[in-house]
């Protein structure tokens, strides 16, 4: 037994070194695009792509945790997605419940905390109930924050913030002169979160689609042609390694 111990230790150390990334991004935001095309390529209905995409969410949460990412914000349903056929909207809004039904125990084991950004109140009751339960159940976890953007739209978020701020100014909670970037940020859904360090968009599209317009001001962007259901640890790791090569100057030199 004692003969085997040094070998075992060495092997473990090598494995850990292999997965460690220095200075991982604190906050990664992902536009998970390409589910429909993934399904079409296989002659499957679009919802099959969304289902596959849901399982990839679970894998990527595990990988983000492993690489010490602290916040993972995933664009799961935008305010514009209501325009899709009703059956697809219904399916998409059932996914959080399905995801939590299958994976909440694993999220608990991994110390993941679940939160959302977006207009929560108007979501279907079954979606809200499942998410509310998960938020409460995971509220004391202090590992990765898994932040689902659900019924989220950035322009709506900004207008909502302005309306709330104007009410607070009317009620003399603060004056216009006191308004600065920090105070404005406090009115966004992302209040309390650091801005994303890295934004990933899959499927070859290179646009923001009304996602975190204020919060992405200094974020590094990373695009891949890979469709979301094909996104995996290797590609995610590549995005993290590329991020580490970027020189972030925030407007300075
Ligand atoms: C965009 O692909 C994707 C979406 C609108 C939905 C994303 C949702 C998931 C990946 C699953 C979310 C999981 C949970 C747990 C909530 P698209 O349908 O626009 O693809 P296309 O551009 O190829 O048509």
């Amino acid at each position: 037994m004692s003969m085997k111990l040094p070998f075992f230790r060495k092997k473990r150390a090598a494995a850990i070194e292999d997965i460690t990334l220095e200075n991982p991004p604190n906050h990664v935001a992902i536009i998970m695009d390409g589910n429909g095309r993934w399904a079409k390529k296989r002659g499957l209905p679009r919802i099959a792509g969304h289902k596959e995409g849901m399982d990839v969410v679970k894998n990527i949460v595990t990988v983000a945790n492993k690489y010490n990412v602290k916040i993972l914000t995933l664009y799961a349903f935008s305010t514009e997605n209501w325009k899709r056929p009703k059956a697809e909207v219904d399916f998409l809004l059932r996914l959080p419940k399905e995801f939590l039904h299958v994976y909440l125990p694993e999220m608990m084991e991994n110390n993941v905390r679940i939160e959302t950004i977006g207009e929560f109140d108007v979501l279907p009751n079954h979606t809200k109930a499942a998410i509310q339960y998960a938020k409460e159940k995971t509220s004391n976890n202090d590992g990765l924050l898994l932040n689902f953007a659900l019924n989220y739209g950035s322009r709506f978020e900004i207008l909502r913030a302005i309306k709330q701020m104007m009410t607070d100014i009317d009620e003399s909670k603060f004056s216009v002169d006191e308004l600065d970037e920090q105070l404005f940020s406090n009115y966004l859904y992302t209040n309390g979160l650091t801005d994303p360090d890295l934004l990933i968009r899959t499927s070859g599209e290179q646009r923001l689609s009304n996602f975190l317009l204020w919060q992405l001001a200094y974020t590094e962007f990373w695009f891949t042609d890979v469709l979301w259901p094909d996104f995996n640890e290797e590609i995610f790791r590549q995005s993290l390694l590329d991020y580490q090569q970027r020189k972030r100057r925030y407007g300075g030199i």
Side-chain angles (χ1 to χ4, degrees), residues 1 9 37 43 98-100 103 197 206:
M1 230 6 226
R9 280 207 178 124
R37 277 163 283 169
E98 164 98 6
F99 176 83
L100 294 165
Y103 296 123
D197 301 287
Q206 301 194 359

Side-chain angles (χ1 to χ4, degrees), residues 20 84 87 89 106-107 122 191 197 212 237 249:
T20 300
R84 296 187 176 206
V89 169
E106 204 173 317
M107 298 292 122
V122 296
N191 177 22
D197 301 287
L212 301 171
R237 187 182 158 86
R249 294 195 297 267

